[in-house]
Amino acid sequence: MARILEARGATRVRISPDERWVCYVTDLTGSPQLWRVPVAGGRAERLTFDCDRVGAYRFSPDGSRIAYGADAGGNERWQLWVMDANGGHALRLTGRDDRIHHLKAWTADGRSLLGLANLRDPRFFDLVAWEAATGAMRTLYQHDGTAADATPLADGSVVLTVNRRRGDETDLLLVAPDGAARRLTPDDPPARHAVVAAGPDHLFLRTDRGREFAGLAVLRQGGAFEWVRTPEHDVEEADASASTRVYAVNTEGWSEVRVERDGREDGASGLPPGALALDLIGDSVAVSGDTIAVAWARYDAPSTIYVARRGEPFRELVPPVLAGIDPETLPEPRLVSWPTFDGRTIPGFLLTPRGAPGGARPTVIDVHGGPEGQARPNWNPRSVALVAAGFNVLWPNVRGSTGYGKTYQALDDVEKRLDSVRDLDAAAAWLAESGTAPADRIGVIGQSYGGYMTLAAIAFFPERSWAAAVDVYG
């Protein structure tokens, strides 16, 4: 177990404007810090030393500096810093330890940072600019609510992404340099809008406006809205440069990376089966010029960084640190599904000991948090340890999970909440009936919303005779 806990990976990837460096965050030294490595390969360099933990970060437009957010002791009260791109001359710009400052971007002229901060009122996040040289602060727009992103435009305007009544519904506001604001998105249909990139006369968006799944669209300066890509699965993240567009599609929990250049779209080669290494900060896909980088997650290894240049397949640039773990003890995942009480089919990932013979073995059902979350291929020390000890682990995506469309996500809303618990009971029934697990050797575990699901499973379905149940928290 000690070696499993010592395994380390990398995430939150960005590429320098000159395409020479890839930056990423790793906890190799014990806490998440910012590192960089040449795109061509070579020795990695640690850049941050003055903080407990690095969150979001951004290259300046000319690539000479890096801005980053950092907190203390995991308190999530992010403070903003700026330093030279080689890690030198780090300067803290914000001074309110009791407030949260979310870094979003540099202004187009490279003189200031844009962020969202609750300085005026702990409940509300305003759009704020800080001068990179002095830390002088200026409020650009007061917003009595929460916001998700800020995208600078060449004329000094900012596109602000604000949350509506639900976390999966957002609006876009155009904030002019004089503080005047107008909404760019309609009231109806309610939808999620995220700016991928800004062009001279348009915004490139990821949105689910009027659709079951999120796709890619263009919003023209005059308000015209045009779909660009509409796959029958969610586009989960995207990035774009003048020459290259990259996006990832969430297909049954796996990620499919697609690259568009010169009007042609191709699948990405060189990536093993897996998914984007997504967390609350994101930044799992990066494009600069013709260079692409992704933070890539798997069940059988901590997340890693892959990079590709034009005409080349992806190659692993930052390998995982496996701490001497025997590869033969790592999980072997496969996508499975089972019928539930109303005739629907519920998907999930089944992790089994690598190369193990067939037959029933004790199985732990590990329920993801949320409820609006999804079990994805991710390194999970608990699952790795259980599989190494001879158990199966089932990660179910019961109704209410994201990644399967709006209808599926809403199936456990309000009075239908217990239907998702019925899906969990159906998972246990399938494990026994399919011979995957002995009926009396099935346990359940979870944290956050998964903790609630664990308690609900044993409370509402005691006849299942669960072998064990652990509510980590929730």
Side-chain angles (χ1 to χ4, degrees), residues 134-469:
T134 66
M137 185 195 80
R138 181 165 57 99
T139 299
L140 304 181
Y141 181 76
Q142 291 187 351
H143 175 60
D144 289 348
T146 59
D149 205 0
T151 304
L153 305 182
D155 65 357
S157 301
V158 179
V159 178
L160 181 64
T161 307
V162 297
N163 297 319
R164 298 178 66 171
R165 63 185 180 88
R166 293 170 50 114
D168 58 356
E169 297 175 4
T170 56
D171 278 322
L172 301 180
L173 303 181
L174 180 63
V175 180
D178 63 2
R182 64 181 177 90
R183 193 163 63 183
L184 301 177
T185 46
D187 273 335
D188 192 59
R192 178 189 286 116
H193 302 87
V195 179
V196 175
D201 62 352
H202 69 278
L203 297 174
F204 184 41
L205 305 179
R206 181 170 59 88
T207 178
D208 58 3
R209 184 190 295 190
R211 296 190 71 243
E212 186 77 10
F213 299 97
L216 297 174
V218 167
L219 181 62
R220 300 289 177 188
Q221 198 169 52
F225 179 87
E226 307 165 18
W227 284 109
V228 176
R229 292 287 180 265
T230 54
E232 290 305 306
H233 300 280
D234 278 332
V235 173
E236 54 186 338
E237 195 167 341
D239 198 8
S241 68
S243 62
T244 305
R245 287 177 176 175
V246 179
Y247 65 99
V249 178
N250 179 346
T251 305
E252 302 294 335
W254 302 104
S255 289
E256 295 180 4
V257 175
R258 301 177 185 178
V259 179
E260 183 180 323
R261 289 190 177 106
D262 305 323
R264 286 185 51 198
E265 181 180 283
D266 297 303
S269 61
L271 291 170
L276 294 183
L278 297 169
D279 61 15
L280 292 177
I281 292 176
D283 297 336
S284 293
V285 175
V287 178
S288 181
D290 287 332
T291 304
I292 307 165
V294 297
W296 199 246
R298 293 152 51 188
Y299 275 121
D300 60 353
S303 56
T304 58
I305 306 299
Y306 282 80
V307 67
R309 284 176 160 159
R310 181 184 284 265
E312 299 175 352
F314 276 94
R315 56 185 167 84
E316 191 175 61
L317 183 64
V318 182
V321 176
L322 278 170
I325 299 171
D326 182 358
E328 294 305 312
T329 67
L330 295 173
E332 191 166 28
R334 61 186 172 97
L335 192 63
V336 297
S337 61
W338 55 91
T340 191
F341 68 96
D342 61 355
R344 296 180 184 273
T345 299
I346 306 301
F349 286 95
L350 181 65
L351 278 58
T352 58
R354 193 175 298 252
R361 62 176 50 82
T363 300
V364 175
I365 303 175
D366 203 328
V367 190
H368 69 70
E372 294 173 347
Q374 186 184 19
R376 307 288 304 277
N378 275 305
W379 176 261
N380 182 288
R382 183 167 66 214
S383 293
V384 173
L386 285 168
V387 170
F391 291 81
N392 295 327
V393 177
L394 176 66
W395 281 91
N397 281 313
V398 298
R399 69 189 64 207
S401 299
T402 54
Y404 304 93
K406 292 179 180 178
T407 300
Y408 192 81
Q409 184 177 331
L411 285 176
D412 70 339
D413 284 357
V414 197
E415 71 278 357
K416 297 179 285 188
R417 180 68 70 194
L418 283 180
D419 286 354
S420 62
V421 188
R422 293 185 177 94
D423 294 341
L424 197 57
D425 178 65
W430 170 77
L431 287 169
E433 292 165 5
S434 66
T436 304
D440 60 349
R441 302 291 300 279
I442 299 171
V444 60
I445 190 171
Q447 58 202 64
S448 189
Y449 181 73
Y452 157 77
M453 288 287 285
T454 296
L455 298 179
I458 62 175
F460 291 102
F461 295 95
E463 66 276 9
R464 185 59 57 194
S465 300
W466 303 92

